[in-house]
Amino acid sequence: MTIKQIAVKIFKSNLKRYLFYFLCNSFAVMVFFMFSTLLFNESLHRSKEIEEGINEAVMIPTVALLIFSIFFISYAHSTFIKGRKKEFGLFMTLGMSTRDIRKIILVENSIIASASICLGIIAGTLFSRFFFLIIMSLIGVKSVSFELNVNSYLYSIGLFSVIFAIAVAVTMVVTSKFEIVKLLKEERTSKKNKRANPVLAAIAFIALLASLYILYAYFGTVPENDGQLLLFCTISIMITLYITISQLGSFCLNIIKRRPSSYYRHLLLLTNLDYKFKQVKKIIYLITVMVIVTIFYIGFVLYIFLGAEKAATDLHPYDIAFVQTGVSFDKLSAVVATKENPITEHKTLEVSNYFDSANYNFRTVIVADDQLSAVANKPIQVEKGSYLILVQLNLQGKAEQNRMIADIQQDLPNIGIDKLQSAMFERLINDLKYIDNSLIVLNSADYQQLKSNTSEVQTAEIQFLNMKDWKNSKDAVIKLEEKLSAANKVTPEFEQLIQRRLMTEQEFFQPGSKIGLYDYNKQGGGLILYLVTFISVLFFIATVIILLLRLFSELEDERKNYKKLFKIGITEKEIRKIIAGELKILFFAAPILGIVISLVYTSTFFKESGMDLEIYRSSLSISSVYLLFQLIYYFIVKRKYANQIIGD
Amino acid sequence: MTSVLEVKNIVKIYDDEKDQFATKALNRINLKIEKGELVAIMGPSGSGKTTLLNLLSGIDSPTSGTIHIANKELSTMNKEELALFRRQHLGFVFQEFNLLDSLSLKENVMLPMILEKRDAVYMETKTKEIMSTFGIYDIADKYPYSISGGQQQRAAVSRALANDPSIIFADEPTGNLDSKSSKTIMECFEKINKEMETTIVVVTHDVFAASYCNKVIFIKDGILDSQIVKKGNRKDFLDQIIDCLAVLGGGTHDD
């Protein structure tokens, strides 16, 4: 038997270990590659709306992903080397030198590294396309195109070559400290953390809190420095978080150890955690980082989605509203209504456009109180001889409101009614280009009189429709728009008005619909939406897979341990309980920590915006959904994993 | 004298799934072990020793026949009850020690008591008492991988004693040990047998280890062959066992 044959034999018997290492690496490369297709997507960079935001928006996941790659690969590498140490010990007993061992490590790792870079990039190329299609169908954004950039390939290969090289170099250095006796026992010696240093734990924890606070307090104060602040704080949060997890974790274990009664009660669980803590802490850290990114970005996606709907319903009380001139309502309603989506409510409001010839043909829109009440579904009464100002804006300050009222009063035409009854600041009817945000409301008798007496008034009817399902009214609105732009009659006064507004006629008569604004908002935020959905889904999947890899890499050892326990009389129920305890920490400690930190990021980014509560609601609901999902995932994995360990 | 262990007519057949070719590992074994006995079960490889021990300890179940330990019949218990029964009434010592690497020696010894949710102070005292008896209390905080095989096995014996078992089963306890450590372990068994009147059943290849027992039962091809009882000193008993094995045939040390 030649050395080569021996090598092949050893490889075959260790296939599982090699495979695990190989798959972990390929997975990391794939995730990074998929992310880089996003990073180097030209259409994202070209777009104006994202240009300013892109650096900041991508900063957190880029740092997180770099950390993920480094930690995940070093985790896989150390697991791999650890498993092989016994073999190295045996080789050394048979007379191999440290140099030979190094050669083996170098050759093996080079092969695995290049193979996994290849597989990772191939899988990444395929999956990123697939991923792109899924996200597109999920969020319906059409303004992004899929691109494969040569930079993605270069960066993935370059970055991972460096990470692998460092991992191997570290192992090379370690080999000089190899002692046969220790190597032979390697598999059994505990992977225990060094004794925790309470001072270091405290410093790291305080530094973590400080970084979070600085980020929250100073972000946005000097906008030019925000990018740097975000980068430094994110890096410092990531570093202190790791030290905190590793130090506080073993610190807590040590504290529990000092209380024998509770320590003994959970002996198996605690020692198991302690025994594997070196690796457990890496996993907890990785998952925490992934969760921070996932929750932050999914919360953001949800916010955009909910925001689009909320804005649409806020601005448009009725599903569709349009100005009808030159064509009968029956013809128009025939275009709108379908069997599946009929019109459920119809109201009409007559408006009078008063063109003030004394004031450069300034237009004022006047309506009657009884008609407006019917459309707005609330009682609005104007005394005879008085007028009411309706401003369909949500103006907050009293001063601003007064300024607005004064402006309107100044331009008020001479219609013989000049007693201001009151002013309303409220959205009552749909947002239409045709009418302004402000209307004058008169008593209906006054209104009729004005209409019949004044030749300067041009009346029109605004139709308000509610549909069975407004989200399905897109086709109807498009058809309606075509019909209207063909039929609407424009008087010279209106032509002047449209010109002054720098609009086209079609824009001016555009129907105001929920679906129109909803689509507009979603499309407008489309690039950002695509970006954040991509990041959050990618990171979420990564979390799920890390957990699985971790558990099933330990399966064999766990099975051996529980077999021993079984013989001395541990019941299946007790085994399941211990497994559950360990899984609980893996599955929930990290997500909860991650959610807390992601909330800090969320409040940092949105503290300036007015819709504070909405974004928190999105983040919190996404956190609950995440935890719920994690809970389900936990129950499934717990069952499967325990069954695998217990066997038949 | 009351019998701690009573085996009636047990048969164990292993079905070969491929060609329905059944192997009879044990054939109508009858056995009675009284309280306070120190018994060795010997026989050539493949004679059914390990099968018998697995049946006696409830890890495996017989095809037919009954096993009573401390007046309880094993076949009436389900898996969970058997596990509880094992840790409450039985002690185990294995050839490969079966200590958990993640636990210190002390914690390993405590383990059966911890499973029984005993009070912490009680566990501390009990552990100290047992471990001191076997001279391993000064290394109580060490981990299994950093001590010798003999010390590991003494820890395993201590663990077997933790819940004051009715009977201790030892499967080749000296199989992985050198002769000096073997001697120490057998002396431990002798000591607990005499001082605590614990019943012990040792399955072994090792004539030297068997000579520490009061009685040796020989099995061959799944059938009880013969048994001898110690009358004189250990040296004479050793010769007697060697003679019996010669008659029994099959290798002992050299298989």
Side-chain angles (χ1 to χ4, degrees):
Chain A
M1 209 180 239
T2 64
I3 294 282
K4 216 175 176 182
Q5 282 170 312
I6 293 177
V8 172
K9 269 218 149 139
I10 288 172
F11 176 76
K12 271 186 188 159
S13 65
N14 271 327
L15 199 63
K16 245 187 184 167
R17 196 166 280 147
Y18 284 99
L19 206 62
F20 172 72
Y21 182 45
F22 172 63
L23 288 178
C24 278
N25 291 339
S26 308
F27 172 71
V29 177
M30 185 184 83
V31 170
F32 182 84
F33 180 83
M34 286 169 71
F35 183 76
S36 75
T37 61
L38 182 72
L39 214 55
F40 297 117
N41 189 320
E42 289 288 329
S43 65
L44 285 182
H45 285 279
R46 271 199 305 269
S47 114
K48 270 212 177 108
E49 57 179 294
I50 234 171
E51 200 174 20
E52 294 148 20
I54 191 158
N55 288 328
E56 286 172 19
V58 178
M59 183 84 73
I60 304 167
T62 309
V63 173
L65 201 62
L66 271 177
I67 287 173
F68 164 77
S69 306
I70 294 168
F71 267 79
F72 195 60
I73 286 181
S74 83
Y75 162 70
H77 181 77
S78 63
T79 310
F80 176 67
I81 292 293
K82 189 151 197 98
R84 305 225 44 213
K85 276 188 179 165
K86 197 176 175 183
E87 223 168 81
F88 292 153
L90 195 66
F91 287 158
M92 285 171 83
T93 355
L94 296 177
M96 251 188 202
S97 66
T98 319
R99 251 187 79 162
D100 295 326
I101 300 282
R102 281 184 188 161
K103 219 163 136 191
I104 293 178
I105 293 175
L106 194 63
V107 171
E108 275 182 359
N109 277 281
S110 312
I111 294 174
I112 292 179
S114 30
S116 39
I117 289 177
C118 285
L119 180 71
I121 285 180
I122 292 171
T125 308
L126 296 176
F127 276 110
S128 52
R129 169 100 213 165
F130 181 65
F131 214 61
F132 173 79
L133 291 174
I134 287 183
I135 290 178
M136 283 301 137
S137 67
L138 260 180
I139 60 178
V141 169
K142 293 184 185 70
S143 46
V144 189
S145 59
F146 179 72
E147 286 169 22
L148 280 175
N149 193 300
V150 73
N151 277 340
S152 300
Y153 292 94
L154 293 180
Y155 273 83
S156 303
I157 294 171
L159 183 78
F160 281 95
S161 305
V162 172
I163 296 180
F164 283 126
I166 292 173
V168 173
V170 170
T171 309
M172 291 287 157
V173 174
V174 175
T175 50
S176 61
K177 285 192 242 158
F178 272 7
E179 282 171 52
I180 296 179
V181 183
K182 277 192 184 158
L183 286 178
L184 290 173
K185 281 186 191 171
E186 181 68 30
E187 253 179 302
R188 299 179 61 198
T189 44
S190 112
K191 295 148 196 156
K192 240 177 229 174
N193 219 23
K194 282 184 193 116
R195 194 150 276 276
N197 182 342
V199 180
L200 188 58
I203 291 175
F205 187 59
I206 291 168
L208 174 63
L209 292 182
S211 323
L212 288 170
Y213 176 75
I214 289 171
L215 179 65
Y216 175 76
Y218 293 100
F219 188 79
T221 49
V222 188
E224 309 88 75
N225 293 341
D226 275 356
Q228 278 181 332
L229 180 75
L230 184 65
L231 179 66
F232 284 124
C233 283
T234 302
I235 290 174
S236 130
I237 287 169
M238 296 299 164
I239 293 172
T240 50
L241 179 67
Y242 181 66
I243 305 174
T244 307
I245 289 177
S246 74
Q247 291 295 324
L248 272 190
S250 41
F251 185 61
C252 291
L253 280 172
N254 285 338
I255 284 185
I256 302 174
K257 264 191 187 171
R258 289 196 206 129
R259 301 185 47 230
S261 55
S262 53
Y263 175 62
Y264 289 142
R265 202 172 325 128
H266 305 290
L267 180 79
L268 283 172
L269 172 64
L270 291 172
T271 50
N272 235 357
L273 280 176
D274 197 17
Y275 186 59
K276 295 184 266 183
F277 195 71
K278 233 178 181 170
Q279 296 189 339
V280 169
K281 73 180 178 190
K282 275 187 191 163
I283 294 292
I284 289 186
Y285 176 64
L286 274 180
I287 294 175
T288 308
V289 170
M290 298 275 124
V291 170
I292 294 173
V293 177
T294 312
I295 294 295
F296 176 66
Y297 283 90
I298 296 188
F300 193 65
V301 174
L302 196 68
Y303 175 67
I304 293 179
F305 258 103
L306 293 182
E309 184 159 347
K310 198 173 176 316
T313 44
D314 278 354
L315 270 181
H316 296 286
Y318 285 87
D319 295 348
I320 303 173
F322 58 91
V323 185
Q324 177 207 344
T325 56
V327 60
S328 74
F329 177 72
D330 289 343
K331 273 190 182 166
L332 292 174
S333 68
V335 167
V336 174
T338 58
K339 223 180 230 161
E340 301 80 44
N341 202 10
I343 297 170
T344 54
E345 199 180 2
H346 169 222
K347 280 182 182 160
T348 305
L349 175 70
E350 189 190 68
V351 294
S352 290
N353 294 286
Y354 186 97
F355 287 94
D356 191 356
S357 49
N359 188 10
Y360 308 102
N361 265 345
F362 184 85
R363 182 189 67 154
T364 307
V365 182
I366 303 167
V367 295
D369 61 352
D370 56 343
Q371 281 192 43
L372 184 66
S373 302
V375 171
N377 283 324
K378 71 187 277 183
I380 297 165
Q381 228 179 356
V382 184
E383 301 279 314
K384 232 168 139 16
S386 308
Y387 67 94
L388 181 147
I389 295 174
L390 169 65
V391 179
Q392 297 211 84
L393 289 174
N394 192 12
L395 290 183
Q396 293 297 332
K398 201 81 200 153
E400 226 174 315
Q401 290 186 354
N402 286 337
R403 208 176 311 133
M404 187 85 188
I405 294 169
D407 275 355
I408 294 168
Q409 278 180 312
Q410 202 192 338
D411 284 326
L412 199 68
N414 188 9
I415 48 171
I417 294 165
D418 50 11
K419 191 169 162 245
L420 174 65
Q421 180 182 309
S422 62
M424 280 174 85
F425 290 85
E426 201 178 339
R427 162 84 40 204
L428 294 179
I429 60 176
N430 287 29
D431 185 34
L432 286 171
K433 296 264 162 50
Y434 180 86
I435 49 173
D436 301 306
N437 282 321
S438 56
L439 297 166
I440 300 295
V441 188
L442 297 181
N443 179 283
S444 67
D446 285 346
Y447 176 79
Q448 291 305 333
Q449 207 179 355
L450 179 80
K451 211 173 87 179
S452 55
N453 289 355
T454 322
S455 58
E456 283 151 312
V457 165
Q458 296 179 17
T459 60
E461 278 187 344
I462 301 179
Q463 309 291 359
F464 295 92
L465 302 179
N466 272 333
M467 312 292 293
K468 193 176 158 206
D469 176 15
W470 68 263
K471 283 191 180 162
N472 260 330
S473 60
K474 190 169 183 169
D475 289 344
V477 171
I478 291 173
K479 275 188 222 154
L480 181 70
E481 212 173 321
E482 284 165 5
K483 203 94 184 165
L484 283 173
S485 70
N488 271 319
K489 278 194 208 135
V490 184
T491 59
E493 285 83 5
F494 268 109
E495 213 163 287
Q496 201 187 349
L497 181 67
I498 294 170
Q499 260 176 16
R500 241 185 294 172
R501 296 256 168 106
L502 302 172
M503 284 183 187
T504 63
E505 199 182 302
Q506 196 179 353
E507 275 174 337
F508 187 72
F509 286 104
Q510 200 175 39
S513 62
K514 279 182 187 159
I515 187 72
L517 183 63
Y518 180 70
D519 277 357
Y520 177 80
N521 280 349
K522 264 175 59 179
Q523 288 296 321
L527 291 172
I528 298 174
L529 197 58
Y530 170 70
L531 188 83
V532 291
T533 313
F534 185 99
I535 291 170
S536 41
V537 174
L538 187 65
F539 276 59
F540 177 70
I541 292 175
T543 323
V544 170
I545 291 185
I546 296 171
L547 276 174
L548 272 189
L549 282 176
R550 145 84 201 175
L551 287 177
F552 288 92
S553 70
E554 294 275 322
L555 189 66
E556 222 29 69
D557 290 349
E558 293 294 299
R559 198 180 277 160
K560 257 185 227 157
N561 265 340
Y562 284 112
K563 215 168 216 167
K564 288 181 188 172
L565 284 170
F566 176 71
K567 281 187 181 164
I568 61 169
I570 194 168
T571 62
E572 248 183 64
K573 223 165 133 191
E574 283 160 335
I575 294 181
R576 283 181 195 275
K577 209 172 138 192
I578 295 168
I579 292 174
E582 210 183 318
L583 291 190
K584 259 182 219 154
I585 289 176
L586 269 184
F587 274 67
F588 297 107
I592 289 171
L593 192 60
I595 284 171
V596 171
I597 296 178
S598 79
L599 282 182
V600 175
Y601 271 99
T602 304
S603 23
T604 301
F605 273 80
F606 291 91
K607 67 178 170 184
E608 298 292 320
S609 85
M611 286 170 90
D612 247 354
L613 282 177
E614 285 300 315
I615 181 74
Y616 284 123
R617 202 175 299 155
S618 312
S619 287
L620 285 177
S621 48
I622 220 61
S623 304
S624 340
V625 171
Y626 188 92
L627 286 178
L628 184 73
F629 173 84
Q630 194 77 351
L631 197 70
I632 295 168
Y633 184 42
Y634 160 77
F635 278 117
I636 295 171
V637 169
K638 186 181 83 170
R639 231 185 106 88
K640 288 239 153 162
Y641 186 62
N643 286 347
Q644 289 268 336
I645 282 176
I646 292 166
D648 339 290
Chain B
M1 278 239 248
T2 48
S3 63
V4 178
L5 174 83
E6 198 170 353
V7 173
K8 276 185 194 153
N9 269 329
I10 53 168
V11 175
K12 178 69 186 176
I13 298 169
Y14 287 111
D15 284 326
D16 192 329
E17 279 171 24
K18 270 187 210 152
D19 49 13
Q20 307 288 307
F21 187 76
T23 320
K24 225 173 220 179
L26 291 176
N27 191 6
R28 295 177 159 272
I29 298 263
N30 285 296
L31 194 63
K32 208 173 195 180
I33 289 170
E34 310 289 340
K35 185 168 166 37
E37 276 194 291
L38 174 50
V39 182
I41 297 175
M42 295 194 82
S45 286
S47 58
K49 297 188 302 286
T50 307
T51 308
L52 179 62
L53 199 69
N54 282 345
L55 296 182
L56 296 184
S57 53
I59 291 171
D60 200 354
S61 55
T63 314
S64 68
T66 57
I67 300 166
H68 281 88
I69 295 178
N71 294 324
K72 292 227 172 66
E73 204 200 316
L74 296 193
S75 61
T76 59
M77 289 186 251
N78 65 24
K79 225 173 155 189
E80 295 288 294
E81 287 168 336
L82 274 173
L84 287 174
F85 181 77
R86 272 205 295 280
R87 74 173 184 231
Q88 286 160 358
H89 299 283
L90 310 181
F92 289 94
V93 179
F94 306 91
Q95 180 174 5
E96 60 278 17
F97 321 134
N98 271 357
L99 298 172
L100 293 186
D101 288 330
S102 54
L103 302 182
S104 67
L105 286 194
K106 190 169 108 181
E107 290 163 351
N108 263 298
V109 173
M110 276 182 187
L111 196 55
M113 295 188 269
I114 287 168
L115 292 175
E116 280 298 294
K117 301 188 178 62
R118 297 287 170 94
D119 163 62
V121 181
Y122 170 82
M123 291 196 287
E124 297 271 7
T125 16
K126 178 92 181 175
T127 312
K128 187 175 178 184
E129 182 194 317
I130 303 173
M131 291 180 87
S132 312
T133 316
F134 300 132
I136 47 170
Y137 189 70
D138 50 329
I139 51 165
D141 288 324
K142 296 214 167 184
Y143 284 82
Y145 46 80
S146 60
I147 58 169
S148 77
Q151 288 166 325
Q152 288 188 55
Q153 195 61 303
R154 272 184 277 162
V157 174
S158 309
R159 183 180 63 185
L161 280 170
N163 276 337
D164 301 313
S166 323
I167 188 163
I168 290 180
F169 292 112
D171 187 4
E172 303 279 6
T174 58
N176 272 357
L177 301 177
D178 61 280
S179 53
K180 189 168 172 288
S181 301
S182 299
K183 186 165 175 271
T184 320
I185 287 299
M186 290 319 293
E187 280 167 1
C188 288
F189 281 133
E190 215 174 19
K191 196 169 173 183
I192 51 181
N193 176 252
K194 280 202 180 111
E195 289 176 7
M196 310 178 195
E197 292 197 349
T198 310
T199 317
I200 302 168
V201 176
V202 182
V203 165
T204 185
H205 262 115
D206 184 356
V207 272
F208 176 76
S211 69
Y212 279 86
C213 301
N214 318 117
K215 186 158 104 182
V216 179
I217 296 168
F218 296 96
I219 62 174
K220 190 187 177 186
D221 301 331
I223 308 168
L224 274 196
D225 188 87
S226 55
Q227 65 175 50
I228 50 173
V229 178
K230 190 199 259 180
K231 293 201 181 85
N233 61 20
R234 199 175 62 76
K235 183 79 190 56
D236 297 339
F237 196 46
L238 183 67
D239 294 336
Q240 214 182 337
I241 297 168
I242 292 171
D243 290 343
C244 280
L245 280 175
V247 175
L248 198 66
T252 52
H253 273 293
D254 47 16
D255 57 6

